[in-house]
Amino acid sequence: MINSLFITFYPKKTTSNQNTKAVIYARLTYNSKRTDFTTSRKIDASKWNSHTNSVRGNSVEAKALKRYLDDMRASLYEIHDRLVREGKKISAKIIKDIYFGKEEKQYMLIEIFQEHNDEMEKLIGKGYTKGTLQRYNACKKHIEDYLAFRYKTRDMPVEEVDHQFITGFDHYLKSEKDCAHNTAQKYIVNFKKIIRIAYANQWIEKDPFFHWKGKWKSSEREYLTDAELQCMVEQEFDLPRLDMVRDAFVFCCYTGLAFADVEKLSEDDIITDINGKKWIKTKRQKTKSLSSIPILDVPQVILDKYKDHPRVKSGKEVIPILSNQKYNSYLKEIANACGIKKNLTTHLARHTFATTVTLSKGVPIESVSKMLGHRSLKTTQIYAKVLDEKVERDMEMLQKQLSLAQKKNK
C-alpha cells in the first residue's frame, strides 16, 4: 500500500559544538521498518520546526531548502509507486538504495541457500559427506515450506530475515513439521550458517542471529542390553539380506563404527600388530579423527564369514554393505524377529559398544573415547552411559576395600 511509506526529516548535530549547524536527515519508514540517511544539507537548529518537520521562515535560503526537501520526498514516493506498479519487493532500504542509484541485485534467501548446497555437493568426499548435504537440502526444503506457509511466497530478500523469522521458523518446525526440539535446533543451526555467509559478504547489514541462542535438551541414549545383543547374534535368518544386515549391525555393536565408517572400511584399515592382534585403524568419516579399535572375536567371525563374498574379494569392502535406506528398513524387520522394541540404528549400535560392550565391562572411558574416534571426552560421556550394574560392582569393590581396612585397624 502507498500509505505504508512514511517520510520525515529531522536535524541532528554531529558534534557538541553549539555553533555547529545540524545535519538534516531523512527517515523512511515502511511497514514498521525504517532506514535513515543524510540529505547533505545543514541548518541552524533554531530554524527547524519540529511540528511540521520543515524549515521555518520565508527567506530565500529557507524556500530553497524547502523545495529541495519537497523534491526529495516526491522522488522517494515516485520510486515507491514504481515498485508497487511493477509488483517488486519493497522495503525502506530498497527505496533508499534506488534513490542513491544503487538499484543492485537483491540477494534472495533460497538462491543463497541453493548456491551453498550446490558448492557443498561439489566437495562431497573432500571435506563434506552425502549425509551433511542431505541435512542442508532438508533444511532448505523446510525454509521453502515455511516461506509458503507464513509469508505466502517462494523466496524473500535475505535482508528481511530477522529474529522474528528465526523464532517463527523454530515454532513451525515443531508445530507443523512435528520435529523434536533437538532436531529443530539442528535445522536452525544449518540455517544460521547460510545467514552468516550473507553477513560475511555484506549482503545484510545486521546478523539476525545475534540475539538468538539455541538450547539443547539432554536425551536418554538407547542401547542394547547383553541379552538383546546376544539374541541378535544368535538369531537365524532364512533371508540372506536380513542375515547380511544383522551381521553389519552386530559388527558396529562390537567395533563402535558408524554406518559411513563401515561402508568405506577396506583391508588397508585392518592391521596386525607385533603380537599378532588385529586392529581397525581408520579415520572417521564425520570428524576425520583416528579410531583405533582392537578386533574382538565376534567381529572377526563376521569378517571371516564374508571374506569370499564377491564384493569383498573385489577389494571394495570388508563386509558387504547395502544402501543406508535399505539398511535402516531391514533393521526394523530384524528387530521384530528378535523381539526387540527399540529403534535399531547405527547410532544405537555405537551406544551399545560404548555401554554394554565396553564401559559396563570395566573399560576406561579414555580408551572408549579413542576407539570411538572422539576428539573430546565430553562427547564420549554423552554416548557412554554408566550402567547400574557397573555402579553396583564399583560399590562392591569399595565395600571390600573398606572391610579390609577395618580388619587391619583392629
Side-chain angles (χ1 to χ4, degrees):
M1 295 175 60
I2 294 177
N3 292 334
S4 295
L5 175 66
F6 297 95
I7 303 171
T8 56
F9 299 99
Y10 64 93
K12 179 181 177 182
K13 278 200 171 186
T14 56
T15 69
S16 59
N17 192 332
Q18 295 298 321
N19 298 322
T20 303
K21 288 186 175 183
V23 178
I24 300 176
Y25 278 79
R27 171 171 291 168
L28 308 187
T29 306
Y30 185 83
N31 286 348
S32 302
K33 293 185 179 181
R34 71 189 191 192
T35 185
D36 296 23
F37 59 90
T38 175
T39 64
S40 300
R41 294 294 186 272
K42 295 182 179 181
I43 189 175
D44 188 330
S46 63
K47 295 181 180 180
W48 184 262
N49 188 331
S50 59
H51 295 291
T52 62
N53 290 313
S54 182
V55 62
R56 301 177 189 272
N58 293 309
S59 65
V60 174
E61 182 184 359
K63 288 180 178 179
L65 183 54
K66 284 180 183 178
R67 191 161 50 248
Y68 176 81
L69 297 179
D70 286 342
D71 289 345
M72 178 179 284
R73 181 183 281 108
S75 296
L76 291 167
Y77 274 122
E78 184 180 345
I79 292 168
H80 170 267
D81 294 347
R82 174 168 64 83
L83 293 174
V84 172
R85 288 194 303 271
E86 295 175 356
K88 292 184 177 179
K89 201 71 181 179
I90 305 173
S91 72
K93 185 177 183 301
I94 290 172
I95 295 171
K96 180 191 76 171
D97 287 345
I98 294 174
Y99 178 79
F100 284 105
K102 299 179 181 178
E103 195 168 357
E104 301 173 351
K105 170 193 171 184
Q106 279 190 314
Y107 291 95
M108 306 299 286
L109 175 59
I110 299 302
E111 287 182 11
I112 296 170
F113 214 137
Q114 186 60 55
E115 185 177 344
H116 166 271
N117 290 4
D118 290 343
E119 291 298 319
M120 179 177 282
E121 187 172 11
K122 295 175 185 176
L123 296 174
I124 297 297
K126 302 175 184 177
Y128 293 104
T129 65
K130 289 181 180 179
T132 303
L133 177 62
Q134 288 173 354
R135 286 194 295 274
Y136 275 93
N137 280 333
C139 182
K140 182 178 80 74
K141 182 64 169 62
H142 286 324
I143 290 289
E144 289 173 333
D145 293 345
Y146 176 57
L147 287 172
F149 177 82
R150 175 76 181 272
Y151 298 93
K152 313 302 180 191
T153 184
R154 296 176 64 183
D155 205 349
M156 69 185 297
V158 67
E159 64 187 15
E160 293 189 14
V161 175
D162 54 15
H163 188 267
Q164 185 178 7
F165 182 100
I166 298 165
T167 55
F169 181 48
D170 181 27
H171 182 267
Y172 170 79
L173 288 171
K174 296 172 182 175
S175 60
E176 300 298 325
K177 293 290 186 176
D178 200 27
C179 290
H181 176 82
N182 286 356
T183 302
Q185 292 295 293
K186 288 176 183 178
Y187 282 128
I188 293 176
V189 169
N190 291 150
F191 177 48
K192 182 178 179 180
K193 181 186 176 184
I194 305 304
I195 297 301
R196 286 292 172 87
I197 289 172
Y199 184 62
N201 283 284
Q202 298 183 335
W203 298 335
I204 54 177
E205 295 181 351
K206 295 187 293 184
D207 178 8
F209 276 94
F210 184 78
H211 294 292
W212 181 86
K213 187 175 181 180
K215 294 182 179 179
W216 302 90
K217 289 183 179 178
S218 58
S219 57
E220 291 295 318
R221 306 275 176 166
E222 279 197 318
Y223 56 92
L224 296 183
T225 63
D226 276 314
E228 289 169 332
L229 183 55
Q230 191 60 33
C231 176
M232 178 83 71
V233 172
E234 295 175 353
Q235 182 69 35
E236 294 184 1
F237 295 98
D238 295 329
L239 296 174
R241 61 179 175 85
L242 295 183
D243 193 49
M244 195 184 315
V245 170
R246 182 274 310 275
D247 288 341
F249 181 83
V250 170
F251 188 82
C252 291
C253 287
Y254 281 93
T255 60
L257 293 173
F259 177 85
D261 299 323
V262 177
E263 192 177 31
K264 71 177 184 65
L265 202 64
S266 70
E267 280 293 337
D268 294 336
D269 298 318
I270 299 177
I271 66 168
T272 304
D273 63 20
I274 57 174
N275 297 316
K277 179 66 179 176
K278 287 187 176 181
W279 291 70
I280 293 175
K281 299 272 188 179
T282 183
K283 285 189 175 181
R284 286 205 64 209
Q285 182 79 15
K286 182 178 180 180
T287 62
K288 305 305 178 187
S289 55
L290 182 67
S291 290
S292 297
I293 310 156
I295 300 177
L296 302 173
D297 290 342
V298 173
Q300 185 60 57
V301 168
I302 295 172
L303 290 173
D304 293 339
K305 179 178 178 179
Y306 292 101
K307 65 181 180 180
D308 293 325
H309 191 281
R311 286 165 60 180
V312 175
K313 292 185 76 173
S314 67
K316 294 180 180 178
E317 303 159 326
V318 295
I319 55 174
I321 297 292
L322 301 181
S323 69
N324 197 15
Q325 185 177 7
K326 289 182 178 179
Y327 179 82
N328 288 323
S329 174
Y330 295 159
L331 279 177
K332 291 180 173 61
E333 292 185 54
I334 292 168
N336 290 333
C338 296
I340 297 173
K341 305 298 183 183
K342 296 164 184 173
N343 181 30
L344 300 186
T345 64
T346 50
H347 258 68
L348 184 140
R350 277 172 67 78
H351 301 161
T352 301
F353 175 77
T355 56
T356 307
V357 176
T358 56
L359 278 184
S360 66
K361 305 298 187 295
V363 178
I365 193 170
E366 293 82 4
S367 299
V368 176
S369 182
K370 185 172 180 60
M371 288 187 284
L372 288 172
H374 289 160
R375 293 176 177 174
S376 169
L377 199 60
K378 289 182 179 180
T379 308
T380 314
Q381 289 169 339
I382 295 172
Y383 279 83
K385 194 183 189 72
V386 178
L387 306 178
D388 290 343
E389 58 196 62
K390 184 175 186 302
V391 173
E392 184 180 356
R393 286 203 307 270
D394 290 343
M395 292 306 290
E396 285 176 356
M397 288 180 63
L398 175 60
Q399 184 59 55
K400 288 179 181 178
Q401 291 175 0
L402 291 174
S403 299
L404 288 173
Q406 288 174 352
K407 289 178 180 179
K408 287 180 180 179
N409 292 331
K410 287 183 178 178

